[in-house]
Amino acid sequence: MGFSTAAEFDQAYSSVRSAFASGTTKNKEWRRHQLKRAWWMVEDNKKRICDALYIDLHRHYQESHSTDCAGTQGDILRTLEKLDEWTKDEKPTRLDPVNFLGGTIVRKEPLGVTLIIGAWNFPVTLLLQPMIAAIAAGCAVILKPSDVACATQDLMMEIIPQYMDHDAIRCVSAGPMEMGYILEHRFDHIFYTGSTNIAKVIHAAAAKHLTPVTLELGGQCPAIVTESANIDLTAKHIAVTKFNNAGQICLNVNHVLVHPSVREELINELCRYFDIFRGGEEKQPDHYTHIINDRNFDRLESLLQQTSGKIVYGGQRDRKSRYFAPTLVTGVKPGDPLLSEEIFGPILPIVDANFDTAISFTRGLEHPLAIYAFTNNPADKARILNETKSGGVTFNDCGLHVAACDAPFGGVGNAGQGNYHGPHGILTFSHLRTHINAIPSWLEWCIAARYPPYSIEKAHRMSPPTVPPFDRDGIDKGSSGRSKWVFRFGVLVLSTVIVTRRDQIVAFSSKLL
């Protein structure tokens, strides 16, 4: 399938703009219906989705079904279950006169027309999961599948119009040239998953319209292996992470920083598990994913040729089929080409590092999307959390934090900005709009100081000078907890009286006036 023309995109853009302006997408029943249609879209086309992913990535049915199909459907069902709760209006927790008397409400409103740009490594779930959140928030959506995963792109272009509201949810195909034209348009939000370099282009284009963006990127995610780690499980978890999707995952282990005392044991166990997963070192199993295209294959080939480290496992590769075996490289030093960029493939550099060196090395790189620390020492875990920055952290495994139900997922720094999953996805595509009523007119005397002419006395009547519960050195004065409790109880009693007797109070005040 060719790329969408400028005229085709303009028609799609005009359609979703009109649909959002009509208020259609704000309707909760419309949102529910679209989410249900999305579930059936995946259900009815599971085999076609998995077949397309096999064509693009040579990915086994089980991997595709678990991530791009079952994961997406589970997200839809959870969103439907929690839609009312996650989108309901909220009230500020602080009980003060303005919030109470004005009835302050924080309303979650859809941002508007959103552009969602998918990625090629998981070209279904990384397109549809943001779409689920955008629909749940009440947005109109333009979807742009990855043009690198061609078979999956063509399938998305075919089935999305068949199942989803054609006025409010459109799918367009675009390469780099067409994307330039698309990004000239003003969107109300742009959600992009992919590389840091492309993210900078998208961010710059969005800035021209002051469009907010969510960027889900990657980074050089380290696995830090200490002498206290369970080496058998450590090797098993790292190896399967590197094996899945041939390492073409933003959360993949980029390199291993291992304590020298357990290095040889770890390498032996990694080799053993890779053999188990592959059926032997010389095998090219059909259940193993291949590299997406020649450009990425050649990039990985170049990195492997430039490294000063030693290949101790794997290294077999075939450019024609783009098969690239899991490859262990030892003796890798800081500054090695394998540590110069995110590998995004099945090469795994092993670097000697004690715990202090591992933390220092990790802090010297751009913030990774994840840190994986294998340790049974609580002090080590505390140091990882306190002395490093990353999008997320998983201890003694890899990538589990991305599967945590209703928890935010996202990066920091070069690993991205913003987050989604569960209620956090709805917040990403929403504007928190506060609305409040005027304080009742019979209480105007309480706020008389807001009106000129001004004076210190009037100001102090409306906002009495405060006395902090600490001195100039920041030392708490030890104010009585009992007095705070009495004050709060008094406020609660007064509020209750006002709520329950409001009509009588208004009637009595009217008589006085």
Side-chain angles (χ1 to χ4, degrees), residues 19-54:
F20 182 76
S22 72
T24 298
T25 65
K26 293 183 179 181
N27 183 286
K28 288 283 185 70
E29 287 310 309
W30 179 89
R31 303 185 207 184
R32 288 190 180 90
H33 183 67
Q34 295 308 307
L35 291 172
K36 292 173 183 177
R37 292 289 292 170
W39 193 93
W40 282 109
M41 178 176 72
V42 176
E43 181 68 16
D44 294 343
N45 293 280
K46 278 182 179 176
K47 186 178 185 305
R48 296 186 69 194
I49 289 171
C50 292
D51 288 347
L53 291 169
Y54 187 83

Side-chain angles (χ1 to χ4, degrees), residues 387-431:
E387 299 180 29
T388 65
K389 289 185 70 175
S390 65
V393 179
T394 294
F395 291 112
N396 295 314
D397 207 330
C398 301
L400 285 187
H401 63 280
V402 72
C405 186
D406 300 346
F409 171 74
V412 62
N414 263 32
Q417 57 184 262
N419 50 60
Y420 69 128
H421 287 187
H424 307 279
I426 290 177
L427 289 174
T428 287
F429 290 99
S430 299
H431 167 60

Side-chain angles (χ1 to χ4, degrees), residues 3 130 195 284 342 438 449:
F3 295 132
S195 72
Q284 295 188 17
E342 182 182 8

Side-chain angles (χ1 to χ4, degrees), residues 264-280:
E264 291 307 315
E265 182 184 1
L266 177 68
I267 291 171
N268 291 336
E269 290 300 299
L270 284 168
C271 294
R272 183 170 72 88
Y273 278 111
F274 279 133
D275 273 349
I276 292 172
F277 299 156
R278 298 173 65 195

Side-chain angles (χ1 to χ4, degrees), residues 82-112:
K82 291 289 190 176
L83 184 64
D84 287 335
E85 178 183 335
W86 289 348
T87 58
K88 68 180 180 181
D89 295 346
E90 296 180 355
K91 295 182 179 181
T93 56
R94 179 170 177 173
L95 185 65
D96 69 4
V98 173
N99 285 341
F100 175 73
L101 296 171
T104 306
I105 297 293
V106 179
R107 175 184 169 97
K108 298 183 183 75
E109 293 196 346
L111 284 173

